[in-house]
């Protein structure tokens, strides 16, 4: 529900990743934004939205153990090309 809500209402893409190895109870929510400024803008909109806050609060209270979450930020590395011998 959270994934669908965010994909339909906000300007970013959300995917839920499930493990194929390792700890079965570990899941990841992958949100893709145009950039860091866009992430901040979309997060501000989400946490001003009472419907979203109600949805996310209920999910956290029912499914998340306190202290078990981590947040990581990654960036894509675009434009990288394989080095040739002359470039090394």
């Amino acid at each position: 529900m959270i994934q669908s809500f965010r994909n339909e209402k906000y300007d970013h893409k959300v995917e839920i990743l499930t493990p194929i190895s390792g700890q079965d109870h570990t899941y990841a929510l992958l949100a893709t934004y145009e950039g860091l400024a866009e992430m901040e803008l979309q997060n501000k909109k989400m946490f001003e939205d009472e419907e979203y806050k109600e949805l996310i609060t209920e999910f956290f209270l029912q499914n998340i153990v306190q202290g078990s979450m981590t947040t990581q930020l990654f960036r894509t590395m675009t434009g990288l090309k394989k080095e040739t011998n002359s470039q090394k």
Side-chain angles (χ1 to χ4, degrees):
M1 289 175 50
I2 294 168
Q3 177 186 16
S4 295
F5 187 87
R6 287 176 61 169
N7 282 332
E8 292 170 10
K9 194 161 181 179
Y10 298 103
D11 200 15
H12 62 274
K13 180 181 175 191
V14 175
E15 297 177 69
I16 297 174
L17 307 177
T18 60
I20 56 173
S21 65
Q23 299 175 345
D24 291 335
H25 61 275
T26 303
Y27 294 89
L29 185 132
L30 175 65
T32 305
Y33 301 89
E34 288 295 319
L36 193 55
E38 187 64 28
M39 180 191 80
E40 291 177 351
L41 177 64
Q42 295 304 313
N43 282 343
K44 183 179 187 303
K45 288 180 182 179
M46 284 187 299
F47 288 101
E48 290 175 348
D49 182 337
E50 293 301 321
E51 187 178 0
Y52 178 73
K53 286 194 295 190
E54 185 177 313
L55 189 64
I56 197 79
T57 299
E58 182 180 329
F59 174 79
F60 278 102
L61 290 174
Q62 292 180 8
N63 299 295
I64 305 298
V65 175
Q66 185 175 0
S68 69
M69 289 184 56
T70 62
T71 300
Q72 298 177 342
L73 297 176
F74 293 92
R75 65 178 176 188
T76 59
M77 296 178 65
T78 57
L80 298 178
K81 297 179 183 177
K82 187 176 180 179
E83 290 184 6
T84 61
N85 287 336
S86 63
Q87 290 176 328
K88 289 180 182 179

